């Protein structure tokens, strides 16, 4: 049986890969063989990065909280320890937003944490 070189299935499969490789530089964006490998690698990185983003965002929130708390005379670890002892359950995303958007409320939370550790 002869090979189908210009069949619809083959064209569609190649077109799909080349569409995903749009914007890649050099042969990786135009040559099917090179594009296939590049697309597989790119999709793997995209999958991993979606998971890494969660940790990256948490690191950002922690950095923002640390910066805001240092302005009020504490550091991040003692602040979180104080919140834990005070029984305050606020996640880091909310604390970060509070520090940016509502400094007065954040200051009140910091004072609560200070009272709990006796500082």
């Amino acid at each position: 049986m002869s090979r189908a070189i210009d069949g619809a299935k083959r064209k569609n499969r190649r077109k799909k890969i080349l569409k995903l490789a749009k914007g890649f530089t050099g042969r990786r964006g135009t040559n099917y063989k090179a594009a296939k490998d590049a697309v597989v690698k790119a999709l793997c990185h995209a999958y991993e990065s979606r998971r890494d983003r969660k940790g990256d965002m948490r690191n950002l929130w922690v950095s923002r909280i640390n910066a805001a708390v240092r302005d009020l005379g504490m550091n991040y670890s003692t602040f979180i320890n104080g919140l834990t002892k005070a029984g305050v359950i606020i996640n880091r995303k909310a604390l970060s937003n509070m520090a940016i958007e509502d400094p007065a409320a954040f200051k009140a939370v910091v004072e609560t944490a200070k009272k709990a550790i006796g500082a």
Side-chain angles (χ1 to χ4, degrees):
M1 189 170 183
S2 60
R3 288 188 331 144
I5 292 171
D6 59 349
K9 276 186 180 179
R10 181 182 166 104
K11 279 183 185 169
N12 290 340
R13 183 172 59 243
R14 288 173 174 245
K15 198 191 304 183
K16 183 173 70 176
I17 294 294
L18 288 171
K19 186 179 179 187
L20 287 171
K22 201 171 200 178
F24 290 8
T25 55
R27 267 186 7 169
R28 307 173 97 218
T30 55
N31 178 272
Y32 173 73
K33 244 180 179 179
K36 186 174 57 173
D37 295 334
V39 165
V40 168
K41 190 169 188 176
L43 291 175
C44 286
H45 285 308
Y47 178 84
E48 292 164 3
S49 295
R50 281 195 299 275
R51 273 119 195 101
D52 290 344
R53 188 188 315 142
K54 279 81 173 164
D56 293 343
M57 292 308 296
R58 185 180 170 103
N59 287 339
L60 175 66
W61 299 328
V62 168
S63 298
R64 286 178 177 172
I65 294 166
N66 190 20
V69 166
R70 282 183 187 275
D71 289 342
L72 300 172
M74 271 180 115
N75 66 17
Y76 176 78
S77 62
T78 54
F79 172 65
I80 294 296
N81 184 31
L83 288 182
T84 306
K85 287 183 177 175
V88 177
I89 303 170
I90 304 175
N91 65 17
R92 283 152 182 80
K93 181 178 181 180
L95 284 169
S96 172
N97 285 337
M98 190 186 296
I100 295 167
E101 296 169 6
D102 193 2
F106 186 74
K107 190 172 185 177
V109 172
V110 171
E111 292 305 320
T112 306
K114 280 184 180 178
K115 283 180 190 168
I117 58 172

